[in-house]
Amino acid sequence: MTLDRWLSRLPIDTPSPLMKQIPTVLGFVVALALTFVPGVVRVSLPPYILAAVIVVVVATIAAVVVPWNRLHPGWTVAVPVLSLLGIGLLRLGTGGSASPFVVLTLIPFVIIASEPGRRNIAIAALTTLVVLFAPLFVDNAPTTPGDVVRALFSPLIYLIVAMVVNELAHRMRTQLTAASAAAQEREELLQQAVRAQDELVLNEARLKTANRLISSIWNAVTEQSVIGTDLDGIIDVWNPGSEKMLGLTEQQVLTARRSVTDFYLPSELEDRLRDMDARFTTVASADSFSALVDTVRAGSADIRDWTYVRADGKHVPVQVAATPRLDENGHRIGFIFVATDMTQAREFARLKDEFVGLISHELRTPLSSILGYLELMRDDDESPLSEEQLQYLGVAERNAHRLLRLVGDLLFTAQVESGRFPIEIRDVELRSVVIASVETSTPVAANAGVTLRSDVPDEPVELRGDALRLGQAVDNLVSNAVKFTPSGGTVTVSLRREGDEAIVAVTDTGIGIPAVELSRLSQRFFRASTATRNAVPGVGLGLTITKAIITAHGGRLEIASEEGVGTSISLRLPVSTPEAVAEALPGAGATL
C-alpha cells in the first residue's frame, strides 16, 4: 500500500481524539528519552516525571477507549488538557522554569485552541497559565522579577495566539465544509450529467427508431390522403397518398402555399355554408375553410363525404375525417384531413341501390296480392271467420302492411340515390299537413306515455309542393320523436313563417344524439349509438327519406341535439320561389 493511499484513509477532515493525541505522545516520548541521556537534561524532581508519564498515558488510553462519538463534542478537549498538564509535570521534574521542554506545551495548546467554540480559547489560555505558573510555587529557588514578568506575559501571548488559532481553525472548518459540500454537489452533478447523457443517448436511439418507423408508416400510406394545415388552412403536410390521389407532389403544394380548399368542389363548400346558416353570393377563402373545420373548432371530429378536385380537373368522391392538430402543450396549431377514396364504394352502393330497387319493385306485387287476399278472407260473408281467426288475420295484415311500407321506403331511397323519384307539385296548405301528422301520431304517443303538442298558427301557410311527400317527411319526424322519447316526455310540433321560409320544427325531450354523429344522421341505414343502446327499433331510413323530400322542395334540414336532453329537427321550406322547387333535385320527376 502506497503512502498516498494510506493517508487517504485517515480521517483528516474530522480527526479523532487519538489522531490529535499522537503528535503530543511522540513529542513527549522524545523528551522523556532525553531525560535518560546523561548531561543533556537536569532531572530535579523524578516523582513529577513519573506523574507526567502516568497523566499522558491516561490521556492516551482515554483517547482510545472512551466512546467520544456518543458524548458531546466539547468533551474531546479533555484529552489535550490532560496532556498539557502532563507536560507541565514533566517541566517541573526537569528544571521547572529552566526546563527545555516548555515548547512541548504548544502541541496540546494548539489542539485545544483549534477546537470549535470560543470557550476553548479560555480553556487553552487558563491551562497554559497553570503550566507556566506552577514552577513559581514548586521551585525552592528565589523568584526574580523577570520570572514573574515571564509568567504573566507568556499567558497573555498564549491567549492572543489561542484567539488567532481558534479563528483560523474556524475559518478553515467553514471553508472545508463549503469545499466538501461543493465537492459533493459536483459529484452529484457529475452523476446526474452521466445519467442524463446515458438517457440522452438512449432517447436519441429511441427517437431514431421511432422516426424510421413513422417514416416507413408515412410512406406506406398510399391509399389514404393525409393533408395537414395551419390554422388558416395553408397546407404544410402532404403524404404520398395525397400525391397519388390529387396528382401533385409535396414540393409543388408546399412551395406554392396552397390552401386545402383548392382541392374541394366549390359547390359542396357553398352547400355546407348554407347548412351552417351562412348565405353568400360568392364564397371567400376563409369562409370556405370554415365550412371544413367548423365542427372541429367546436371540439368534435368531423367525418363527411366530399368531392376532391384533382390537378387534372377530375373529381374524386372521398370521405374526409377532419381532426384538430395539437402541439406538445395540447394547443391547437392546425388541422389534419384524412381522406379515403370512395369511388369503388360509390359504385358498389350504386349497384346495391339498383339491386334494392329491383327487389323492392318485385316485392310490391306479391305483397299487394297477399294484402288483397287477406282482405277478401276478412270480408267473406259466406264463410265468416271466428274471432280468433280474425285476430290472427289482423296480425298477418299488420305485418304485411309494415313490410309493404319498408319495401316502399327502400324503393324510395333507391330512387333518391339514382336521382329520380316522382313528386307532384301543386298548391299545398302546410298547416293542414302538420295537423294531420299530429293527429296520426296522437294514439301512438298516448300508448307510449308521451305528451304530443302542436303549435300551429291560425292563418294558413301556403307553398308549392307535393302534399303527400311533405306529409311523409313530417310523419317521419314526429314518429321518430315519439319513438325516441321515454314515457313522461314531451314532443312539440310547431309551424311558423320567417320571411320567405316556412319552418316546421319537431322538438322532443328524448334520449338525444351524440354531437359527433349529427353529420351522419341522413345517411342510409345509419342509427345513432343512443338508439342502439336503448334498443329502439328502426332501420335508419326515415331521415334519409325526409332530407331527400325537403331537398327536392328546395329546402333544407337542420338538426340540433344534446345527448340525454333531447333533439330538435327543423324543416325549412321556401314559400316564395316555386321555380326552385321543380329544379331543386336534378332528374326528379315533377308533375306540375
Side-chain angles (χ1 to χ4, degrees):
M1 181 181 294
T2 64
L3 179 61
D4 291 339
R5 293 179 61 185
W6 182 81
L7 290 175
S8 65
R9 295 190 175 186
L10 297 178
I12 298 176
D13 53 343
T14 55
S16 64
L18 177 61
M19 289 291 298
K20 298 175 183 179
Q21 180 67 4
I22 289 176
T24 303
V25 172
L26 292 177
F28 186 83
V29 169
V30 171
L32 187 63
L34 291 176
T35 60
F36 292 97
V37 179
V40 175
V41 178
R42 182 176 67 88
V43 178
S44 57
L45 297 171
Y48 283 102
I49 296 176
L50 179 60
V53 171
I54 294 173
V55 171
V56 172
V57 170
V58 169
T60 304
I61 293 174
V64 175
V65 301
V66 174
W68 300 103
N69 57 340
R70 299 181 184 179
L71 302 177
H72 189 277
W75 283 104
T76 58
V77 77
V79 173
V81 167
L82 286 176
S83 299
L84 187 58
L85 293 177
I87 292 172
L89 292 173
L90 178 63
R91 183 168 175 255
L92 289 175
T94 56
S97 299
S99 174
F101 301 131
V102 68
V103 70
L104 284 177
T105 59
L106 288 176
I107 298 176
F109 169 79
V110 170
I111 292 174
I112 297 171
S114 62
E115 289 292 327
R118 302 301 182 186
R119 66 175 184 175
N120 291 315
I121 298 175
I123 294 174
L126 290 176
T127 307
T128 305
L129 179 64
V130 171
V131 171
L132 294 178
F133 264 92
L136 298 179
F137 299 99
V138 175
D139 289 346
N140 295 323
T143 302
T144 64
D147 294 334
V148 176
V149 170
R150 283 195 301 272
L152 293 176
F153 183 70
S154 296
L156 179 61
I157 298 301
Y158 273 93
L159 176 63
I160 295 173
V161 172
M163 295 173 62
V164 173
V165 169
N166 187 270
E167 180 63 23
L168 291 176
H170 172 71
R171 294 187 180 184
M172 289 181 65
R173 279 190 297 270
T174 302
Q175 293 176 0
L176 182 61
T177 301
S180 299
Q184 183 177 0
E185 184 177 359
R186 284 195 301 271
E187 181 67 22
E188 292 176 356
L189 291 176
L190 180 60
Q191 293 176 359
Q192 292 177 4
V194 172
R195 288 194 298 269
Q197 179 66 22
D198 293 341
E199 292 178 0
L200 182 61
V201 172
L202 180 60
N203 290 336
E204 185 178 2
R206 290 175 177 172
L207 181 60
K208 290 181 179 179
T209 302
N211 285 337
R212 286 194 296 267
L213 177 61
I214 292 173
S215 179
S216 300
I217 295 174
W218 183 256
N219 293 327
V221 180
T222 57
E223 297 304 316
Q224 280 78 33
S225 165
V226 181
I227 300 175
T229 72
D230 60 14
L231 293 174
D232 297 322
I234 303 301
I235 298 174
D236 54 13
V237 174
W238 187 266
N239 81 319
S242 301
E243 180 176 343
K244 176 181 176 182
M245 185 178 294
L246 295 169
L248 291 175
T249 65
E250 181 180 14
Q251 183 177 3
Q252 288 175 315
V253 174
L254 300 188
T255 302
R257 291 184 56 80
R258 298 286 295 272
S259 172
V260 68
T261 56
D262 295 345
F263 301 98
Y264 282 77
L265 198 63
S267 60
E268 292 184 348
L269 295 175
E270 293 175 3
D271 290 340
R272 172 60 180 156
L273 287 174
R274 279 195 293 271
D275 289 342
M276 294 163 53
D277 275 340
R279 295 178 174 273
F280 300 96
T281 304
T282 59
V283 182
S285 175
D287 295 329
S288 300
F289 186 59
S290 296
L292 300 179
V293 299
D294 180 70
T295 302
V296 182
R297 286 172 176 167
S300 303
D302 183 65
I303 302 175
R304 200 178 298 273
D305 290 335
W306 295 95
T307 301
Y308 272 179
V309 181
R310 285 175 49 88
D312 56 11
K314 293 182 180 179
H315 292 180
V316 181
V318 292
Q319 185 179 75
V320 180
T323 55
R325 183 179 172 188
L326 308 177
D327 63 9
E328 62 275 7
N329 298 318
H331 299 146
R332 189 171 62 214
I333 59 174
F335 303 92
I336 294 291
F337 302 88
V338 180
T340 303
D341 190 341
M342 302 296 291
T343 302
Q344 290 185 348
R346 295 285 175 84
E347 179 63 18
F348 292 153
R350 186 187 65 80
L351 295 174
K352 183 180 66 175
D353 290 338
E354 290 181 359
F355 175 76
V356 170
L358 178 63
I359 294 299
S360 300
H361 185 271
E362 295 298 324
L363 286 175
R364 288 175 66 90
T365 300
L367 280 173
S368 299
S369 177
I370 291 172
L371 286 170
Y373 278 103
L374 289 174
E375 186 176 357
L376 289 175
M377 292 176 63
R378 184 181 57 189
D379 297 337
D380 188 359
D381 295 333
E382 295 181 359
S383 301
L385 301 177
S386 65
E387 290 295 329
E388 185 177 4
Q389 289 173 330
L390 287 173
Q391 183 179 359
Y392 294 156
L393 191 64
V395 173
E397 192 173 17
R398 284 195 303 273
N399 282 283
H401 276 293
R402 180 180 178 186
L403 186 57
L404 185 61
R405 287 194 299 271
L406 179 58
V407 169
D409 288 344
L410 289 172
L411 181 58
F412 184 83
T413 55
Q415 291 172 337
V416 170
E417 290 297 323
S418 66
R420 302 188 61 84
F421 69 92
I423 60 173
E424 297 181 2
I425 296 179
R426 60 188 64 182
D427 291 333
V428 177
E429 204 286 287
L430 195 56
R431 181 175 176 274
S432 61
V433 172
V434 173
I435 292 175
S437 294
V438 173
E439 290 176 351
T440 301
S441 298
T442 297
V444 178
N447 290 334
V450 176
T451 302
L452 181 59
R453 298 174 180 172
S454 63
D455 180 13
V456 295
D458 295 332
E459 65 277 3
V461 178
E462 297 181 349
L463 50 78
R464 296 280 292 174
D466 188 324
L468 180 63
R469 294 301 186 189
L470 290 174
Q472 183 182 4
V474 178
D475 286 345
N476 286 341
L477 296 186
V478 176
S479 63
N480 274 352
V482 172
K483 184 167 56 176
F484 290 104
T485 300
S487 178
T490 303
V491 175
T492 303
V493 184
S494 64
L495 171 64
R496 67 183 186 278
R497 181 167 177 170
E498 290 184 359
D500 60 352
E501 286 186 329
I503 301 174
V504 180
V506 179
T507 304
D508 64 61
T509 58
I511 58 179
I513 305 164
V516 295
E517 299 178 358
L518 291 179
S519 62
R520 303 179 60 192
L521 288 181
S522 59
Q523 296 178 5
R524 285 186 306 162
F525 306 111
F526 176 79
R527 305 196 69 223
S529 58
T530 48
T532 305
R533 287 198 303 268
N534 290 275
V536 179
V539 294
L541 291 175
L543 280 179
T544 304
I545 295 173
T546 299
K547 184 176 181 180
I549 293 172
I550 298 306
T551 303
H553 284 76
R556 66 184 188 277
L557 189 70
E558 295 181 346
I559 305 175
S561 183
E562 183 176 351
E563 188 173 357
V565 177
T567 303
S568 178
I569 302 180
S570 299
L571 309 179
R572 289 181 172 267
L573 296 165
V575 296
S576 61
T577 56
E579 296 81 4
V581 175
E583 300 175 357
L585 187 63
T591 303
L592 299 178

